[in-house]
Amino acid sequence: MIRVLFVCLGNICRSPMAEAILRQKAAERGLSDQVHIESAGTGHWHVGQPPHEGTINILADNEIDASGLSARQVVEEDLDSFDIVVALDAENLGFLQTLRKQGQEVEVVRLLDYSDREESDVPDPYFTGNFQEVYDMVDEACASLLEEVENEWL
């Protein structure tokens, strides 16, 4: 089983969106029992809360199940228990790299590394309000990420 963790700032917008999207894509390809997907935030502000209403709405608009999503904070042990940790922007990537201990084999990447877009960071719709733009970016990159997981890891 490959374990994937998405990480953003508060774990209520971008990372739970990515978690739900990748879960659905994995299910559609019959990979649900081979790919475990979670999300977390670098901050503690929303721990235990459901995703932002904008995230829930955009997922519902695209017929993606958002049930069971609840914010949590990333912890050091996540870098031991996940194979791929995917940051949604440079700030979160930097935070994850400071948590990473020498010798840990976890792959720490940025989500838009799996995209042909010019941007390198997924903007935070908590501040921009543009959930559709973020959905489009995340959906596209998750498709490429799953392709790599299927070809390189499974």
Side-chain angles (χ1 to χ4, degrees), residues 72-141:
R72 74 171 183 88
Q73 190 172 14
V74 67
V75 294
E76 255 181 55
E77 292 78 19
D78 287 328
L79 298 176
D80 288 322
S81 60
F82 285 88
D83 301 296
I84 306 169
V85 178
V86 185
L88 278 285
D89 64 31
E91 181 180 339
N92 296 303
L93 181 66
F95 178 85
L96 292 167
Q97 290 170 333
T98 64
L99 278 184
R100 190 177 194 177
K101 297 178 201 145
Q102 187 172 2
Q104 284 180 316
E105 294 183 21
V106 63
E107 186 173 329
V108 179
V109 297
R110 200 172 353 194
L111 181 60
L112 291 187
D113 291 347
Y114 298 96
S115 171
D116 292 332
R117 292 176 178 262
E118 290 182 21
E119 301 96 329
S120 54
D121 292 339
V122 177
D124 193 340
Y126 185 84
F127 300 108
T128 68
N130 196 340
F131 286 86
Q132 183 62 58
E133 172 191 33
V134 169
Y135 176 86
D136 293 341
M137 296 171 101
V138 170
D139 184 58
E140 174 187 308

Side-chain angles (χ1 to χ4, degrees), residues 3-8 10-27 32 35-41 49-51 55 59 64-72 82 86 88 111 134-135 138-139 141-143 145-146:
R3 297 177 51 85
V4 179
L5 178 68
F6 291 102
V7 179
C8 70
N11 192 216
I12 60 168
C13 294
R14 297 171 292 173
S15 59
M17 185 185 299
E19 176 183 353
I21 289 170
L22 191 63
R23 278 186 183 172
Q24 179 156 322
K25 288 184 181 307
S32 294
V35 184
H36 176 82
I37 305 148
E38 291 185 31
S39 64
Q49 295 178 8
T55 295
L59 290 172
I64 296 177
D65 182 17
S67 62
L69 298 174
S70 178
R72 74 171 183 88
F82 285 88
V86 185
L88 278 285
L111 181 60
V134 169
Y135 176 86
V138 170
D139 184 58
C142 279
L145 170 59
L146 185 58

